[in-house]
Structures are given as C-alpha cells and as structure tokens.
Amino acid sequence: MMQIDLNADLGESFGRWSLGDDDAMLEVVTSANVACGFHAGDPTVLRHSCEGAAARGVAIGAQVGYRDLAGFGRRFIDVVPAELTDDVLYQIGALEAFARVAGTRVRYVKPHGALYNAIVHHEEQAAAVVEAVVQYDRSLPVLGLPGSAWLRLAEEAGLTTVGEAFADRAYTPEGRLVSRREPGAVLHEPDEIAQRCVRIATEGELVAVDGSVVPAPAGSLCVHGDSPGAVEIARRVRAGLDAAGVGVSPFAGEPT
C-alpha cells in the first residue's frame, strides 16, 4: 500500500489574534508543523497545539523561521549564519519544552516562509539551519523542497531528509514555488487540490503554471493551515488519498 504524510502549519495564532482552526486540522493531518514563537505563536498557543497533537497521535515538528513576528516570517533577513544557527536552536528548544509537557517530543524540523524559500538556494543559511539540527539532535528528520540546498546539505551531514510537495501552492516549470506576490500562487478549489495531491502521491508529478509536468517526489504533502477553507481542503485531500488507496501516516516515528 502506498503511504504519504499529510502536514499543516499550525500554532500560528498570537495573543488575541486567531489564525486558522488548529483543532479541526489536527483531526485530519498526520504531522503538525508548530510555530516556535519567532514568526508566529505565543507560549499558550504553542502549548495548546502540542497538547492537541499529542492527544490525537499527530507528529509534532518544529516550524522554525526568521525572527519576524510583524512580517509573519515571510520577509528575507540577511542574518549572520552563526546567529541563525542559534535562533533555530532556540526555537526547537522552546517547542520541545511544550511537547515534553504534553507527553511527546519534537519529531522533525521544517523551516517556515521566507527561510524555507531562502535555503532552497542560499548555501550559507541552509548550512546554518543544518548545523542547528546536527547540534540539537542528529536523529531528527528534516522536511523541505526536493532539490534544495537545505536537503542536500542535510543529507551530506547525515540527517534523514524528507521531500514535500504543497497541496495548495502553484509551481514554476523549475519545480519551485510561485511567489505569493504573484496572482494564482495559492490554490483554493478543494476538488482540484485533492486530485493534484493524488497525482503527486501516486505518480510523483504535478502540473506547473505553464502547463508542463514536473517531478514532485514527496514523502509528505503540506496543506497550509492559514489558507481560506483550509480545513475543507485538508478533508478533501485526505478523502481523495483514501479513495485512491494511499495510506496516510506520519513520516517521523516516535523518538526514543
């Protein structure tokens, strides 16, 4: 039976500002990329997300990003690599505290937003994030875009790498994400997204914005928790995978 993971970015509310429906998403996904307080999330939000994930058997991943609350982590920051390593260590450690209190552990690491996009090609910053994971726990898998500097350097460092594809994002003919500043960068039609995800899971490919077919090898599919209609999209994706005979389970096992 074919297997794939279904992940979503969660824990991104802050104070009285609410973003997404984490509790509903946790009923659908198998992995939760939980914000760590630098681009989104506060201690109470992080704790709630970790407790919700643990109660449902959903794997918790550290969603690490730039120190950019105002910009939601979607602005590139030319941070010194050594400082970026420390920032990532800080974030993993903060989330680990709440995961432990909830009775589980951080089980993988996934960069967020502008950092995710930067380390597709930014060698120094990619190496800095890799170094943080190596220093913290070499057993943690890392999640990212196939073909990125991030995954290449992580693999060279001996880390377990997992490629992901985005259910609700448009792709360029080069297999990169279309910038959110461009029209049509985010997809919204649930049935179209579900069909696309089934194709990724069963055939390892997707259709780019120019109509070309590009490889999309993925061990995990990401549905953005902050997209309009995110819960319904996630439900349709999971139903589509089930109907196609694709099993859905976390890619990261429970740490020992």
Side-chain angles (χ1 to χ4, degrees):
M1 184 178 187
M2 290 177 289
Q3 294 282 330
I4 200 163
D5 175 59
L6 186 60
N7 77 76
D9 296 346
L10 303 178
E12 295 182 323
S13 298
F14 190 89
R16 296 185 64 184
W17 183 65
S18 179
L19 181 66
D21 187 344
D22 286 8
D23 289 335
M25 288 295 284
L26 284 169
E27 297 291 343
V28 183
V29 300
T30 49
S31 295
N33 319 312
V34 180
C36 301
F38 269 33
H39 80 274
D42 61 40
T44 299
V45 168
L46 269 57
R47 181 167 191 166
H48 179 81
S49 296
C50 287
E51 289 175 345
R56 295 168 176 84
V58 174
I60 295 172
Q63 185 195 168
V64 298
Y66 290 126
R67 192 191 300 262
D68 180 30
L69 277 175
F72 197 60
R74 289 182 176 160
R75 302 180 293 191
F76 172 74
I77 299 177
D78 191 14
V79 59
V80 176
E83 293 181 7
L84 181 56
T85 295
D86 291 343
D87 281 353
V88 172
L89 278 169
Y90 186 103
Q91 292 175 77
I92 299 172
L95 188 65
E96 179 84 328
F98 291 113
R100 281 177 175 269
V101 168
T104 184
R105 296 282 304 279
V106 168
R107 288 159 62 174
Y108 65 94
V109 175
K110 174 185 172 177
H112 165 81
L115 179 60
Y116 186 102
N117 291 322
I119 60 178
V120 168
H121 53 78
H122 197 302
E123 297 276 338
E124 287 188 340
Q125 290 203 353
V129 181
V130 169
E131 182 62 20
V133 180
V134 167
Q135 291 182 12
Y136 185 81
D137 184 351
R138 283 181 173 271
S139 72
L140 290 179
V142 298
L143 189 59
L145 194 70
S148 63
W150 155 240
L151 290 191
R152 172 174 54 79
L153 293 173
E155 185 173 1
E156 290 174 1
L159 301 178
T160 299
T161 61
V162 180
E164 74 171 334
F166 288 83
D168 49 4
R169 290 291 303 277
Y171 278 73
T172 71
E174 294 74 35
R176 301 293 183 248
L177 298 178
V178 173
S179 169
R180 284 180 176 269
R181 296 180 180 179
E182 299 295 326
V186 180
L187 310 180
H188 300 289
E189 211 291 310
D191 287 333
E192 175 188 348
I193 293 170
Q195 293 169 10
R196 183 188 204 220
C197 288
V198 169
R199 183 170 181 174
I200 293 169
T202 59
E203 301 179 39
E205 64 184 25
L206 54 79
V207 178
V209 289
D210 67 345
S212 62
V213 176
V214 298
S220 185
L221 291 165
C222 178
V223 178
H224 283 95
D226 62 333
S227 298
V231 174
E232 179 58 24
I233 290 171
R235 287 172 177 158
R236 296 282 187 91
V237 168
R238 181 137 191 183
L241 293 170
D242 289 343
V246 179
V248 181
S249 61
F251 65 84
E254 191 72 46
T256 58

